[in-house]
Amino acid sequence: MSIFQRLKRVFAKPQPLKAAPSVLTIGPGDVCEVSLVTYQVVGRTQNRQRNLIVLTLQDGSQIKYLTVEERERTVFALYEPIDGRLDAVDEVPTVLELDDRTYHLEEQYSGFITAAGKTPFVQGGEQYVWQFQSDDMKLLRIEWQDGRFMLYEGETVLPADVRVLRGEQPS
C-alpha cells in the first residue's frame, strides 16, 4: 500500500451511519411484525398532508392494512377489508350499523395520496376517507377514490406491538 493511499484513508470522511428503518419509512419488500404476527409489506399509500401512511401487509393469503399516522404521538390501527357497498360518495352516513355494532363518524377528510406496490387503489390521486368508531372501540374505515369504495374493519394497535424486522436501506 502506498503512502498516498494511507494518507487518503486518514483524511477521508467516515461513512455516515444509515438510519434504522422505521414504520414510517418502510415500503414494499420490507418485513414487519404487528401483534406478534409477521407480515411482508406489499404496498404503501401515503398522504403527506396528514403525515399518514397505509401499509398493505400480507401473511400467506391473508391481507391486512396498517395505518400509521404521526400526530402528537404516532397512532396505529390494523384493518381487514370487508364486503360492503355504498352507492355515492355524497351519501356516506354519519352513523352506520354493521353486524349488530353501531359505528359513529369520528373523522372525515380528503387529500392527495401516492401509491407504491400492491394497494387497493392502483395509482395515486385524490382520496376521500371516513373513519368511524363504535362504543366498544372497534374501527371502521371507508375510502373512496376514482369511483371505487373500499371498506375496512379494525382496531387500534399499541405502538409497542409494531416492529420493523427487515427494512430496505437506501444506498
Side-chain angles (χ1 to χ4, degrees):
M1 183 180 284
S2 75
I3 190 140
F4 292 113
Q5 289 177 342
R6 289 182 186 175
L7 285 174
K8 184 178 174 182
R9 196 177 302 163
V10 167
F11 292 112
K13 291 182 181 179
Q15 291 289 336
L17 296 174
K18 293 182 179 178
S22 76
V23 178
L24 292 170
T25 61
I26 63 174
D30 296 337
V31 177
C32 69
E33 180 181 273
V34 181
S35 301
L36 301 176
V37 178
T38 303
Y39 296 97
Q40 180 176 6
V41 179
V42 295
R44 171 191 169 107
T45 59
Q46 182 172 11
N47 183 331
R48 290 189 187 273
Q49 294 169 326
R50 294 185 58 90
N51 207 9
L52 169 89
I53 63 167
V54 179
L55 298 173
T56 304
L57 307 177
Q58 186 170 5
D59 177 33
S61 64
Q62 184 180 22
I63 292 188
K64 293 194 177 187
Y65 300 92
L66 178 69
T67 62
V68 183
E69 186 167 10
E70 185 104 43
R71 296 182 179 180
E72 52 278 353
R73 61 184 180 83
T74 306
V75 179
F76 298 93
L78 187 64
Y79 292 94
E80 290 185 45
I82 59 172
D83 290 331
R85 185 178 85 118
L86 294 169
D87 294 325
V89 70
D90 57 346
E91 294 180 6
V92 176
T94 57
V95 177
L96 274 170
E97 189 167 326
L98 255 141
D99 299 331
D100 298 326
R101 182 175 284 135
T102 303
Y103 293 94
H104 302 276
L105 183 64
E106 185 177 65
E107 188 173 22
Q108 174 185 357
Y109 61 89
S110 65
F112 185 81
I113 64 159
T114 57
K118 297 178 182 177
T119 63
F121 302 102
V122 180
Q123 60 189 6
E126 185 76 17
Q127 183 181 65
Y128 294 85
V129 177
W130 295 264
Q131 292 186 162
F132 295 81
Q133 186 171 5
S134 68
D135 292 334
D136 60 349
M137 305 300 285
K138 296 290 182 182
L139 303 174
L140 179 71
R141 179 179 173 92
I142 300 173
E143 296 175 347
W144 180 86
Q145 183 178 342
D146 295 331
R148 179 176 180 204
F149 278 103
M150 287 294 296
L151 283 76
Y152 311 93
E153 196 171 35
E155 55 191 23
T156 303
V157 177
L158 295 174
D161 288 343
V162 179
R163 291 187 325 142
V164 175
L165 298 179
R166 187 177 71 230
E168 292 294 319
Q169 293 294 323
S171 47

